[in-house]
Amino acid sequence: MTTSTSTSTSTSAPTPAVRDRLATLDGTELPAYLYDLTALAEHAAAVRAALPERVELYYAAKANPEPEILAALGPYVDGYEVSSGGELAHVAKAVPGRALAFSGPGKTPAELAAALELGVERFHVESLHELRVLAALAARTTSGREAVPGVLLRFNLPLAAASLEGSSLAMGGRPTPFGLDPAEADEAVRLLTDGTCPGLRLLGVHAHLASGLDAPEQLAVAESVVTWAADLAVRHRVPLAEVNMGGGMSVDYAAPATRFDWTSYGAGLARLADAHPGLTLRIEPGRALTAYCGWYATEVLDVKRSHGEEFAVVRGGTHHMRTPATKGHDQPCTVIPVSEWPHPWSRPAAAGQRVTLTGQLCTPKDLLSRNVPAPGLRAGDRVAFGLAGAYAWNISHHDFLMHPRPGFHFVTSSDHTPD
Ligand SMILES: *Cc1c(COP(=O)(O)O)cnc(C)c1O
């Protein structure tokens, strides 16, 4: 495939290794997800380096649980956060021996029992009922274990209005099914400290209150969670060893060059850690770790005009990459012009400057990116959608309309040969 210079709506252009691999794929091998594992490792290393030593970093597997991604993150994370029995079994197999924290509302007794059998060290308990079920199961299954399983009580804590404003998905500070109500804190702590639950030990507090927060907002949330947890410990005269402040670090799809400010966040966490010696602080981001390492690449099938607007229909769509449909944004993308046109029929092309990119689904919701600057875009040209490394393939409705599944490619910088 020969390509000329490409235009990008933003700085989400594919890395050289991704470009090289994409160039080896023919149209029938598209769409495809391409992940740059070197770029992922470099980003994770930078995140880790920005955090103080006393802050542990877990990866929230639900953002992207591909085994290659989990493994590439291995050297930079202290563990993995899993939110279902399925994720638990999958992650335990993909990165054996690593620390796991089990979260999520509605854990079934079978899932809890499986986690106990696997030796999971940390349970993020979401309700008093769940605590009682876990305690009963732990009383039966801990005999062969090395350590008594630890509990972090997840609380739905009030959020300051200021920190909520920027958040796209608030999980806390308002009525939600997540975590315990703060009013239940005393009872939950009592159950774990008065001998009612001998098979469990209270490790600390967990809160994942919002997503899409930038660094100053995240820091304000972290401070309020840690302060609240410290008060709880004082009130009950129990030592709390750990506070998990959740994930939700922002990814700006409209401005991919703007990254979450890990440096200032890390500096703020260092101050917080200094103010609470003896407390282990932990975060568990998903999106902000893996979003930037993935691309969903495809080719233009058709270009048409409708009521004054130009559309390019690409091979694939939101059944593979649901992110723009769920978040209501335009997925950043790079157009890669292709000069070859091997077909005997004519090649449709855009007449204007801007084109809306849609997929193959029979629904007006199958919008990938609107008004993309792509003058002269033609059928056969390629488009690489960036920031597709998190909440993309694995949140999509793959079977709707029964189109074929995309290919998956994991590349490293050594796959790129400079020209
Ligand atoms: C989803 C989730 C995360 C990760 O959130 P991101 O927005 O991807 O960083 C962390 N913790 C819990 C409990 C979650 O549900």
Side-chain angles (χ1 to χ4, degrees), residues 10 251-256 287 291 323 327 329-332 386-388 390-391:
S10 55
V251 167
D252 191 341
Y253 291 87
R287 191 186 302 272
T323 329
K327 292 189 69 79
H329 65 219
D330 297 308
Q331 195 72 21
L387 275 59
Y391 302 105

Side-chain angles (χ1 to χ4, degrees), residues 62 159 161-172 208-219 221 245-254 258-262 265 284-289 291-292 327 329 391:
K62 79 171 187 287
L159 269 179
S163 31
L164 256 174
E165 243 160 59
S167 165
S168 52
L169 279 175
M171 255 96 29
H208 171 69
L209 298 175
S211 96
L213 300 184
D214 63 24
E217 296 166 331
Q218 275 286 359
L219 208 50
V221 170
M245 302 164 294
M249 292 71 186
S250 63
V251 167
D252 191 341
Y253 291 87
T258 313
R259 299 291 169 94
F260 183 82
D261 188 350
W262 288 102
Y265 183 61
E284 48 182 21
R287 191 186 302 272
L289 282 178
Y292 304 101
K327 292 189 69 79
H329 65 219
Y391 302 105

Side-chain angles (χ1 to χ4, degrees), residues 124-213:
H124 295 163
V125 167
E126 299 253 352
S127 74
L128 289 173
H129 170 66
E130 186 178 298
L131 182 59
R132 292 189 183 101
V133 175
L134 181 63
L137 294 168
R140 290 210 311 250
T141 40
T142 45
S143 50
R145 289 180 57 113
E146 282 167 25
V148 176
V151 167
L152 280 85
L153 296 168
R154 179 179 182 176
F155 285 105
N156 177 354
L157 298 178
L159 269 179
S163 31
L164 256 174
E165 243 160 59
S167 165
S168 52
L169 279 175
M171 255 96 29
R174 60 186 180 84
T176 73
F178 307 111
L180 292 129
D181 193 89
E184 296 171 318
D186 293 343
E187 183 172 359
V189 171
R190 206 162 41 239
L191 286 172
L192 282 161
T193 51
D194 70 357
T196 309
C197 305
L200 299 174
R201 69 195 161 115
L202 174 62
L203 277 179
V205 163
H206 173 269
H208 171 69
L209 298 175
S211 96
L213 300 184

